[in-house]
Amino acid sequence: MRSLGLWSHEMKRAGPAALLAPPALVLLVVFLVAFGTRLGSREGNTAWFLMTILETGIPLLAGIAAASLIGRDRAVELQLTLPVGYRATLLRRLGVMVGWTALCALVVSALLVVTGWWDLLPAASHGLAGQLAWLSPMLWLTALGLLVAAALRSAAAATAIVSFVWLFEQMLAHLFQENPMLRLFHMFATTYGTAPDEWLPNRLTLLATALLLAAAAWPLLGDAERTLGGEKE
Amino acid sequence: MIATFRYEFLMQIRRPVLWIVYGLTFAVIVVTFGQPYAELSMGAGVDRHDPTTAMIVSADLLMLLLPIVYGCLLADRLIRDRRLGVVGVLDATPTGHTSRLIGKYLGTCAATAVPFALAYFGRAVAYAITEGEPSALGWAVAVFVTTTVPALLFVGALALAGPLLMPPMLFQVLFVVYWFWGNLIPPRMMPTLADSILSPNSRYVAYGLFGYRPAQQPPDVLVAPDYYTYGPVSEAALNFLRPEAGVAVALLWIGVMLVLAVSVLSLARLHAIRTES
């Protein structure tokens, strides 16, 4: 019961933006699926937009949410006296936000599979592995946001880095595609394409490196005094 | 206003994360654009020995991605007073709300633009020395004042006022998406503000005031093939927002940026008045 209370509290702490933005993305997808053709968008284009929303929009939401975790709590002294560690509080809040975003992403991909749009997406893998199209980049950008936020102790700095990386990988996608080493780390390999048979290795590399980033953030988040004393927004 | 400007400037410029984030992102840009950045030329045939062209290319390379860093680092400045609970104390000072807003806006924007300007003018000095072209410094100032400053004034106003109207996290997401959609994607891909008179990343001043011409003519221009200008893009929506570049249109773009900045700040002020009463 106590833990249920904690989770519901964190849901409220997450704020309306974190809770409303992912369903807004789902609505956008529903709108495009229903009216894309009538708006004059060609079928291939619409399919590409739908994948872009899933593969780039979902990670951006989760990444920014992770990056803005630090510096939101007041009454630092009170937090430090609690029996629950501050890391657990932060991760619970992150779990609520990212979990909700992931749930919405699942709805979107189910919608795309049911309506047949998924089959039109050239690079998208089918079956369960296809879900890595959004899961891998989401976890990678979330881990990056968490690490930068923990290291720099500033939400502004962390969101700036997450946004920069997100834009950079979209703007310079060709750079990632041309280089065999960088290709493995490209977050948006489904949308912008990758070499044949390299899609799954790319997704798995992203998952593995996301784990590394999160592992690096772990000890930093453990020092509650340091994290709580970060730059106030 | 002067006091607010001074303090806001100092508070922002002394933030270690400002320098860390700019340093990291600038390093990534230099590494990525290795050759174009070293030569200050984009595409074959551009006369890199022409200081005006080189300075325009230098500004272009920075304007691609650095404004996102600039905006994110500004986004928490206006709402900060409320979060720290110092609004009441500041209200008790003789400075009015409007002059405090202007002081804060100019102070934080100026401080956040300092690393940007250092990167830009640093490259200009390096160019002036390696090419033996001291006039590049003059061109650098001219290009910076007419192209970068109006754009940064508008982006700064947007980044400061945005988080007042919506939750900061939502604003960050929308801001990044706006920069991508409204400034960077090719206009033929979907209806976008990119390359229009309303986009802070437009190149109207480069084409209209400085006579910039790219080496290779892009295939999608509407104008006659004997000369190339900047403006409408064939098969793109919203072309009415993309007049053909010229001196008047370049000046109009500067005016539009300033008007947009003032309008966004006025909205922020109106919003504050409404929530105060």
Side-chain angles (χ1 to χ4, degrees):
Chain A
M1 197 60 217
R2 183 181 70 98
S3 108
L4 204 67
L6 281 175
W7 282 95
S8 84
H9 174 73
E10 287 308 336
M11 251 152 106
K12 285 178 204 148
R13 283 289 289 135
L19 297 180
L20 290 180
L25 218 57
V26 178
L27 284 181
L28 182 66
V29 168
V30 171
F31 178 78
L32 261 182
V33 165
F35 300 107
T37 321
R38 253 181 266 175
L39 284 174
S41 171
R42 283 185 294 271
E43 202 172 57
N45 255 357
T46 313
W48 188 81
F49 280 131
L50 291 170
M51 182 43 87
T52 312
I53 292 173
L54 188 64
E55 197 188 28
T56 70
I58 292 284
L60 181 66
L61 288 180
I64 297 269
S68 16
L69 270 184
I70 309 265
R72 292 172 62 163
D73 290 297
R74 290 182 186 177
V76 179
E77 297 80 359
L78 195 63
Q79 283 278 0
L80 288 173
T81 61
L82 296 178
V84 178
Y86 188 53
R87 177 165 55 195
T89 310
L90 281 182
L91 292 181
R92 192 177 288 118
R93 192 174 307 156
L94 185 66
V96 166
M97 293 198 273
V98 175
W100 177 234
T101 312
L103 201 68
C104 291
L106 263 179
V107 172
V108 169
S109 51
L111 188 77
L112 294 187
V113 171
V114 169
T115 49
W117 281 102
W118 194 278
D119 302 326
L120 291 176
L121 304 166
S125 177
H126 293 271
L128 213 57
Q131 296 307 311
L132 291 178
W134 58 269
L135 188 67
S136 296
M138 185 191 84
L139 291 179
W140 198 87
L141 210 55
T142 306
L144 177 77
L146 194 64
L147 175 64
V148 181
L152 298 179
R153 301 187 297 163
S154 157
T159 47
I161 300 247
V162 166
S163 314
F164 180 84
V165 169
W166 186 84
L167 267 181
F168 182 83
E169 294 213 5
Q170 299 225 51
M171 282 308 294
L172 299 161
H174 62 278
L175 237 154
F176 285 84
Q177 287 165 335
E178 287 159 9
N179 185 321
M181 192 63 205
L182 284 178
R183 213 156 40 216
L184 280 175
F185 293 92
H186 192 208
M187 273 194 293
F188 310 129
T190 322
T191 315
Y192 292 95
T194 182
D197 298 329
E198 280 197 26
W199 187 82
L200 199 61
N202 160 281
R203 298 288 106 173
L204 296 176
T205 313
L206 283 179
L207 282 182
T209 38
L211 210 63
L212 282 180
L213 293 174
W218 182 263
L220 293 172
L221 288 171
D223 189 350
E225 204 167 337
R226 183 179 172 279
T227 316
L228 277 165
E231 193 181 51
K232 288 281 171 278
E233 273 184 70
Chain B
M1 190 180 107
I2 304 291
T4 316
F5 174 87
R6 225 182 112 231
Y7 274 95
E8 290 292 343
F9 183 87
L10 290 176
M11 279 198 289
Q12 180 78 331
I13 207 156
R14 286 175 184 163
R15 255 172 117 185
V17 294
L18 176 84
W19 298 96
I20 295 171
V21 174
Y22 263 116
L24 286 174
T25 48
F26 181 61
V28 170
I29 290 177
V30 171
V31 171
T32 317
F33 291 103
Q35 205 188 351
Y37 196 72
E39 292 178 0
L40 287 187
S41 72
M42 293 219 264
V46 169
D47 184 12
R48 59 182 290 261
H49 301 297
D50 173 34
T52 327
T53 308
M55 290 305 107
I56 289 172
V57 171
S58 177
D60 267 358
L61 287 173
L62 293 186
M63 275 304 281
L64 199 63
L65 292 168
L66 276 191
I68 211 71
V69 175
Y70 171 84
C72 286
L73 288 170
L74 275 175
D76 62 349
R77 294 291 98 184
L78 199 56
I79 48 172
R80 185 171 171 267
D81 290 347
R82 209 169 46 195
R83 292 211 169 154
L84 293 179
V86 292
V87 174
V89 180
L90 290 173
D91 282 348
T93 60
T95 320
H97 285 99
T98 308
S99 42
R100 225 167 63 209
L101 178 70
I102 298 171
K104 191 182 255 297
Y105 165 66
L106 293 176
T108 48
C109 285
T112 318
V114 165
F116 201 115
L118 277 181
Y120 179 66
F121 287 113
R123 185 66 190 92
V125 169
Y127 179 88
I129 294 169
T130 54
E131 296 285 320
E133 281 278 5
S135 66
L137 297 177
W139 287 115
V141 174
V143 170
F144 191 76
V145 170
T146 51
T147 312
T148 314
V149 170
L152 290 187
L153 280 174
F154 167 52
V155 176
L158 199 65
L160 265 189
L164 267 191
L165 308 174
M166 61 186 88
M169 219 180 81
L170 185 63
F171 172 74
Q172 303 272 18
V173 173
L174 290 181
F175 180 65
V176 184
V177 173
Y178 158 71
W179 190 256
F180 183 54
W181 166 77
N183 295 284
L184 301 180
I185 63 168
R188 279 195 301 176
M189 201 167 147
M190 64 173 107
T192 165
L193 293 178
D195 287 330
S196 77
I197 195 96
L198 297 177
S199 158
N201 200 26
S202 282
R203 306 167 91 195
Y204 278 108
V205 170
Y207 281 83
L209 284 189
F210 297 111
Y212 174 77
R213 294 288 176 272
Q216 282 156 347
Q217 183 170 310
D220 52 358
V221 286
L222 286 178
V223 288
D226 55 335
Y227 76 105
Y228 168 60
T229 183
Y230 183 73
V233 181
S234 64
E235 290 177 42
L238 304 178
N239 260 343
F240 66 95
L241 289 173
R242 297 189 186 91
E244 212 171 283
V247 177
V249 178
L251 295 175
L252 176 69
W253 176 81
I254 296 178
V256 167
M257 285 300 116
L258 297 180
V259 168
L260 283 176
V262 172
S263 324
V264 172
L265 284 180
S266 312
L267 266 180
R269 184 72 199 101
L270 282 176
H271 175 80
I273 291 172
R274 222 192 60 192
T275 44
E276 276 157 20
S277 57

